[in-house]
Each structure stands twice: as structure tokens, then as C-alpha cells.
Amino acid sequence: MSLYDLRYSHAELARAAREGRRPAPARTLRRTTTWQWIMLHCRGDSFSVEIATAEGRARLRGRLAARRIRGLHRAGHEVESEDMAPVRHRRGVLWNA
């Protein structure tokens, strides 16, 4: 993976302060090699296909669990002891909260 980043060097910051101008960022290239399971076993051409599929499956599991609990309630069973796992949201912050 190659990412370009803009950084200010200490020399450029000092030179800009002496000359009374804004510092100019230097373009730096960062390269790293990553190996992730999803990259090796991705069925589609992008991560979005895998993410959308996983999110769809999670929503389906949530709907099926809610339907099962609703059916138990309509049949007259006690549903207080039934537990439904939280549905995974695509934003990790909400899921990990």
C-alpha cells in the first residue's frame, strides 16, 4: 500500500518563520505491506462487496430473531427471558460502545 502524506520539516518551519511566510509542506511517500484475511479471500473486487454481504447477513439474523420472538409472544409464551443480540452496525464505534 502506498500513501502520500504532506508533512512540515523542522528546517522548513524555521526557514518560513525567518522569511515571514507560510511553510510549504513536503510530499512524503509512506509504503507498507499489509496482509489481511479479507484481502486474500475476497469474493468480489472490493471490500464493499464483502462488507455489504456481512451487513446484510447481520440484518437478516436480527430480523429472524425478532420474528421468532414476536411469534412466541403471539402464541402466548413468556418472552421476558428471550434475549436478542444487538445488531452489528457498520460503524465500529457504535458496535464497540
Side-chain angles (χ1 to χ4, degrees):
M1 177 181 346
S2 299
L3 296 174
Y4 286 100
D5 199 6
L6 297 176
R7 295 286 177 182
Y8 296 108
S9 65
H10 291 290
E12 176 60 24
L13 290 172
R15 191 177 317 119
R18 270 194 319 268
E19 297 173 3
R21 62 175 174 82
R22 292 182 60 188
R27 184 176 166 186
T28 59
L29 176 64
R30 296 174 183 235
R31 290 187 183 191
T32 182
T33 303
T34 60
W35 294 98
Q36 295 178 355
W37 178 87
I38 195 163
M39 292 176 72
L40 296 174
H41 303 287
C42 192
R43 287 188 302 260
D45 291 338
S46 66
F47 293 122
S48 61
V49 173
E50 292 293 320
I51 292 168
T53 303
E55 188 178 347
R57 286 181 184 148
R59 283 195 311 264
L60 178 63
R61 280 193 298 270
R63 283 194 307 267
L64 291 175
R67 192 176 296 159
R68 183 181 59 81
I69 292 172
R70 189 171 50 236
L72 289 173
H73 176 68
R74 287 182 179 167
H77 295 283
E78 188 65 35
V79 293
E80 294 294 324
S81 62
E82 292 294 324
D83 189 26
M84 190 170 135
V87 177
R88 181 182 179 274
H89 196 274
R90 73 168 44 190
R91 309 292 192 282
V93 175
L94 295 176
W95 174 249
N96 294 324

